[in-house]
Short mmCIF file of all heavy atoms in Angstrom, two decimals:
data_model
loop_
_atom_site.label_atom_id
_atom_site.label_comp_id
_atom_site.label_asym_id
_atom_site.label_seq_id
_atom_site.Cartn_x
_atom_site.Cartn_y
_atom_site.Cartn_z
N ILE A 1256 15.80 65.87 -5.45
CA ILE A 1256 15.60 65.75 -6.81
C ILE A 1256 16.59 66.43 -7.76
O ILE A 1256 17.23 67.30 -7.22
CB ILE A 1256 14.16 66.19 -7.21
CG1 ILE A 1256 13.98 67.67 -6.88
CG2 ILE A 1256 13.07 65.25 -6.47
CD1 ILE A 1256 12.62 68.26 -7.20
N GLY A 1257 16.59 66.24 -8.98
CA GLY A 1257 17.34 66.86 -9.94
C GLY A 1257 18.51 66.11 -10.49
O GLY A 1257 18.99 65.16 -9.83
N ILE A 1258 18.85 66.34 -11.82
CA ILE A 1258 19.89 65.58 -12.37
C ILE A 1258 21.28 66.46 -12.56
O ILE A 1258 22.19 66.10 -11.87
CB ILE A 1258 19.43 65.19 -13.88
CG1 ILE A 1258 18.18 64.34 -13.75
CG2 ILE A 1258 20.56 64.38 -14.67
CD1 ILE A 1258 17.59 64.03 -15.11
N ALA A 1259 21.19 67.46 -13.34
CA ALA A 1259 22.29 68.34 -13.43
C ALA A 1259 22.45 69.16 -12.16
O ALA A 1259 23.54 69.40 -11.63
CB ALA A 1259 22.32 69.27 -14.59
N LEU A 1260 21.36 69.71 -11.74
CA LEU A 1260 21.31 70.53 -10.49
C LEU A 1260 20.48 69.76 -9.51
O LEU A 1260 19.32 69.63 -9.64
CB LEU A 1260 20.70 71.96 -10.79
CG LEU A 1260 20.53 72.88 -9.64
CD1 LEU A 1260 22.00 73.15 -9.06
CD2 LEU A 1260 19.91 74.19 -10.05
N THR A 1261 21.16 69.34 -8.44
CA THR A 1261 20.37 68.60 -7.41
C THR A 1261 19.93 69.59 -6.30
O THR A 1261 20.63 70.43 -5.72
CB THR A 1261 21.42 67.63 -6.69
OG1 THR A 1261 21.90 66.63 -7.70
CG2 THR A 1261 20.54 66.84 -5.66
N LEU A 1262 18.62 69.43 -6.04
CA LEU A 1262 17.87 70.28 -5.02
C LEU A 1262 17.29 69.40 -4.02
O LEU A 1262 16.86 68.31 -4.24
CB LEU A 1262 16.86 71.18 -5.65
CG LEU A 1262 17.35 72.15 -6.74
CD1 LEU A 1262 16.15 72.92 -7.36
CD2 LEU A 1262 18.33 73.18 -6.23
N THR A 1263 17.16 69.82 -2.75
CA THR A 1263 16.50 69.15 -1.68
C THR A 1263 15.52 70.08 -1.10
O THR A 1263 15.76 71.25 -0.73
CB THR A 1263 17.52 68.73 -0.56
OG1 THR A 1263 18.59 67.99 -1.28
CG2 THR A 1263 16.82 67.86 0.40
N PHE A 1264 14.29 69.58 -0.94
CA PHE A 1264 13.17 70.37 -0.36
C PHE A 1264 12.61 69.71 0.76
O PHE A 1264 12.40 68.48 0.75
CB PHE A 1264 12.06 70.57 -1.39
CG PHE A 1264 12.49 71.27 -2.64
CD1 PHE A 1264 12.79 70.60 -3.90
CD2 PHE A 1264 12.56 72.63 -2.78
CE1 PHE A 1264 13.12 71.33 -4.96
CE2 PHE A 1264 13.04 73.39 -3.82
CZ PHE A 1264 13.20 72.78 -5.05
N ASN A 1265 12.40 70.44 1.92
CA ASN A 1265 11.66 69.95 3.04
C ASN A 1265 10.31 70.41 3.04
O ASN A 1265 9.94 71.69 2.89
CB ASN A 1265 12.41 70.62 4.28
CG ASN A 1265 13.68 69.84 4.75
OD1 ASN A 1265 13.80 68.70 4.61
ND2 ASN A 1265 14.58 70.66 5.20
N LEU A 1266 9.37 69.47 3.15
CA LEU A 1266 7.98 69.70 3.22
C LEU A 1266 7.47 69.38 4.59
O LEU A 1266 7.26 68.13 4.89
CB LEU A 1266 7.18 68.96 2.19
CG LEU A 1266 7.77 69.08 0.79
CD1 LEU A 1266 6.88 68.11 -0.05
CD2 LEU A 1266 7.81 70.49 0.24
N PRO A 1267 7.46 70.37 5.61
CA PRO A 1267 6.99 69.96 7.02
C PRO A 1267 5.56 69.46 6.91
O PRO A 1267 4.72 69.90 6.34
CB PRO A 1267 7.09 71.30 7.74
CG PRO A 1267 7.99 72.14 6.89
CD PRO A 1267 7.75 71.66 5.45
N LEU A 1268 5.34 68.38 7.72
CA LEU A 1268 3.98 67.76 7.78
C LEU A 1268 3.06 68.64 8.38
O LEU A 1268 1.72 68.65 7.98
CB LEU A 1268 4.03 66.44 8.59
CG LEU A 1268 4.78 65.37 8.05
CD1 LEU A 1268 4.80 64.14 9.08
CD2 LEU A 1268 4.32 64.84 6.69
N ARG A 1269 3.33 69.59 9.27
CA ARG A 1269 2.37 70.60 9.77
C ARG A 1269 1.84 71.48 8.71
O ARG A 1269 0.88 72.28 8.98
CB ARG A 1269 2.95 71.21 10.98
CG ARG A 1269 4.06 72.20 10.66
CD ARG A 1269 4.65 72.84 11.87
NE ARG A 1269 5.81 73.73 11.52
CZ ARG A 1269 5.75 74.97 11.11
NH1 ARG A 1269 4.46 75.42 10.85
NH2 ARG A 1269 6.69 75.71 10.85
N LEU A 1270 2.61 71.67 7.63
CA LEU A 1270 2.18 72.53 6.53
C LEU A 1270 1.44 71.85 5.52
O LEU A 1270 0.97 72.59 4.52
CB LEU A 1270 3.39 73.30 5.99
CG LEU A 1270 4.10 74.27 6.95
CD1 LEU A 1270 5.15 75.01 6.25
CD2 LEU A 1270 3.08 75.35 7.52
N VAL A 1271 1.38 70.50 5.52
CA VAL A 1271 0.66 69.80 4.52
C VAL A 1271 -0.88 70.00 4.65
O VAL A 1271 -1.45 69.63 5.69
CB VAL A 1271 1.01 68.31 4.49
CG1 VAL A 1271 0.14 67.45 3.55
CG2 VAL A 1271 2.56 68.16 4.22
N LYS A 1272 -1.52 70.53 3.69
CA LYS A 1272 -2.96 70.72 3.66
C LYS A 1272 -3.71 69.51 3.26
O LYS A 1272 -4.79 69.16 3.85
CB LYS A 1272 -3.29 71.87 2.82
CG LYS A 1272 -4.72 72.39 2.84
CD LYS A 1272 -5.04 73.53 2.00
CE LYS A 1272 -4.67 73.34 0.55
NZ LYS A 1272 -5.04 74.57 -0.33
N SER A 1273 -3.30 68.82 2.25
CA SER A 1273 -3.82 67.65 1.88
C SER A 1273 -2.96 66.75 1.06
O SER A 1273 -1.96 67.23 0.54
CB SER A 1273 -5.19 67.83 0.98
OG SER A 1273 -4.83 68.48 -0.24
N ALA A 1274 -3.35 65.54 0.84
CA ALA A 1274 -2.39 64.58 -0.01
C ALA A 1274 -3.40 63.63 -0.55
O ALA A 1274 -4.43 63.30 -0.01
CB ALA A 1274 -1.45 63.84 0.92
N SER A 1275 -3.13 63.26 -1.83
CA SER A 1275 -4.00 62.27 -2.54
C SER A 1275 -3.05 61.23 -3.31
O SER A 1275 -1.99 61.50 -3.66
CB SER A 1275 -4.86 62.95 -3.53
OG SER A 1275 -4.19 63.71 -4.48
N LEU A 1276 -3.68 60.02 -3.41
CA LEU A 1276 -2.95 58.91 -3.98
C LEU A 1276 -3.60 58.50 -5.33
O LEU A 1276 -4.88 58.28 -5.36
CB LEU A 1276 -3.00 57.69 -3.05
CG LEU A 1276 -2.50 56.35 -3.65
CD1 LEU A 1276 -1.13 56.41 -4.01
CD2 LEU A 1276 -2.75 55.22 -2.60
N ARG A 1277 -2.83 58.31 -6.39
CA ARG A 1277 -3.33 57.71 -7.71
C ARG A 1277 -2.43 56.40 -7.75
O ARG A 1277 -1.29 56.47 -7.97
CB ARG A 1277 -3.10 58.73 -8.71
CG ARG A 1277 -3.52 58.10 -10.15
CD ARG A 1277 -3.39 58.98 -11.23
NE ARG A 1277 -2.02 59.45 -11.40
CZ ARG A 1277 -1.62 60.47 -12.03
NH1 ARG A 1277 -2.50 61.33 -12.74
NH2 ARG A 1277 -0.31 60.82 -12.18
N GLN A 1278 -3.20 55.32 -7.63
CA GLN A 1278 -2.39 54.02 -7.67
C GLN A 1278 -2.74 53.41 -8.92
O GLN A 1278 -3.81 53.40 -9.53
CB GLN A 1278 -2.92 53.25 -6.50
CG GLN A 1278 -2.21 51.85 -6.44
CD GLN A 1278 -2.62 51.04 -5.18
OE1 GLN A 1278 -3.65 51.39 -4.58
NE2 GLN A 1278 -1.87 50.03 -4.76
N HIS A 1279 -1.72 52.65 -9.44
CA HIS A 1279 -1.86 51.87 -10.72
C HIS A 1279 -1.81 50.41 -10.46
O HIS A 1279 -1.70 49.92 -9.28
CB HIS A 1279 -0.61 52.21 -11.68
CG HIS A 1279 -0.37 53.62 -11.88
ND1 HIS A 1279 -1.35 54.42 -12.51
CD2 HIS A 1279 0.62 54.48 -11.63
CE1 HIS A 1279 -0.97 55.67 -12.60
NE2 HIS A 1279 0.19 55.78 -12.00
N LYS A 1280 -2.17 49.63 -11.43
CA LYS A 1280 -2.46 48.25 -11.23
C LYS A 1280 -1.16 47.50 -10.70
O LYS A 1280 -1.34 46.42 -10.12
CB LYS A 1280 -2.84 47.48 -12.59
CG LYS A 1280 -4.25 48.05 -13.05
CD LYS A 1280 -4.66 47.33 -14.32
CE LYS A 1280 -6.09 47.81 -14.85
NZ LYS A 1280 -6.41 47.26 -16.10
N ASP A 1281 0.02 47.95 -11.09
CA ASP A 1281 1.19 47.20 -10.52
C ASP A 1281 1.56 47.56 -9.19
O ASP A 1281 2.71 47.13 -8.68
CB ASP A 1281 2.31 47.47 -11.53
CG ASP A 1281 2.65 49.00 -11.67
OD1 ASP A 1281 2.08 49.81 -11.04
OD2 ASP A 1281 3.49 49.34 -12.57
N GLY A 1282 0.84 48.34 -8.43
CA GLY A 1282 1.20 48.82 -7.20
C GLY A 1282 1.83 50.10 -7.00
O GLY A 1282 1.88 50.72 -5.87
N CYS A 1283 2.41 50.52 -8.09
CA CYS A 1283 3.10 51.92 -8.11
C CYS A 1283 2.02 53.00 -8.14
O CYS A 1283 0.96 52.75 -8.56
CB CYS A 1283 4.15 52.00 -9.29
SG CYS A 1283 5.63 51.01 -9.18
N GLY A 1284 2.46 54.16 -7.68
CA GLY A 1284 1.45 55.26 -7.73
C GLY A 1284 2.23 56.65 -7.54
O GLY A 1284 3.41 56.67 -7.29
N ASP A 1285 1.39 57.65 -7.61
CA ASP A 1285 1.75 59.02 -7.45
C ASP A 1285 1.15 59.48 -6.17
O ASP A 1285 -0.11 59.35 -5.95
CB ASP A 1285 1.48 59.86 -8.64
CG ASP A 1285 2.19 59.47 -9.94
OD1 ASP A 1285 3.22 58.92 -9.80
OD2 ASP A 1285 1.51 59.54 -10.99
N ILE A 1286 1.86 60.22 -5.26
CA ILE A 1286 1.23 60.86 -4.13
C ILE A 1286 1.37 62.31 -4.23
O ILE A 1286 2.53 62.91 -4.30
CB ILE A 1286 2.01 60.38 -2.86
CG1 ILE A 1286 1.80 58.88 -2.66
CG2 ILE A 1286 1.37 60.96 -1.58
CD1 ILE A 1286 2.59 58.23 -1.55
N LEU A 1287 0.28 63.03 -4.35
CA LEU A 1287 0.19 64.44 -4.59
C LEU A 1287 0.15 65.05 -3.18
O LEU A 1287 -0.67 64.67 -2.27
CB LEU A 1287 -1.02 64.87 -5.34
CG LEU A 1287 -1.18 66.29 -5.58
CD1 LEU A 1287 -0.06 66.86 -6.43
CD2 LEU A 1287 -2.53 66.46 -6.23
N ILE A 1288 1.03 66.12 -2.99
CA ILE A 1288 1.13 66.88 -1.69
C ILE A 1288 0.65 68.38 -1.89
O ILE A 1288 1.37 69.01 -2.72
CB ILE A 1288 2.51 66.85 -1.19
CG1 ILE A 1288 3.10 65.47 -1.13
CG2 ILE A 1288 2.47 67.50 0.29
CD1 ILE A 1288 2.39 64.59 -0.18
N ALA A 1289 -0.38 68.71 -1.32
CA ALA A 1289 -0.84 70.12 -1.33
C ALA A 1289 -0.37 70.86 -0.10
O ALA A 1289 -0.75 70.40 1.03
CB ALA A 1289 -2.36 70.12 -1.51
N MET A 1290 0.41 71.93 -0.26
CA MET A 1290 1.03 72.60 0.89
C MET A 1290 0.12 73.86 1.27
O MET A 1290 -0.38 74.61 0.48
CB MET A 1290 2.41 73.06 0.70
CG MET A 1290 3.24 71.89 0.24
SD MET A 1290 3.57 70.63 1.59
CE MET A 1290 4.33 71.63 2.84
N GLY A 1291 -0.03 74.17 2.64
CA GLY A 1291 -0.61 75.19 2.99
C GLY A 1291 0.37 76.30 3.29
O GLY A 1291 1.55 76.17 2.88
N GLY A 1292 0.01 77.56 3.81
CA GLY A 1292 1.00 78.50 4.12
C GLY A 1292 1.30 79.45 2.85
O GLY A 1292 0.73 79.08 1.78
N GLU A 1293 2.10 80.28 2.96
CA GLU A 1293 2.49 81.23 1.94
C GLU A 1293 3.56 80.75 1.06
O GLU A 1293 3.85 81.21 -0.09
CB GLU A 1293 2.89 82.64 2.58
CG GLU A 1293 1.74 83.25 3.30
CD GLU A 1293 0.49 83.54 2.29
OE1 GLU A 1293 0.67 83.86 1.20
OE2 GLU A 1293 -0.70 83.39 2.87
#
Side-chain angles (χ1 to χ4, degrees):
I1256 59 177
I1258 301 173
L1260 177 64
T1261 302
L1262 300 173
T1263 303
F1264 297 102
N1265 277 324
L1266 310 178
L1268 291 179
R1269 65 180 180 82
L1270 294 183
V1271 174
K1272 182 173 64 175
S1273 67
S1275 58
L1276 167 66
R1277 179 176 61 194
Q1278 188 177 12
H1279 306 299
K1280 293 180 180 179
D1281 57 4
C1283 289
D1285 301 322
I1286 299 176
L1287 178 66
I1288 310 296
M1290 304 298 297
E1293 298 299 322

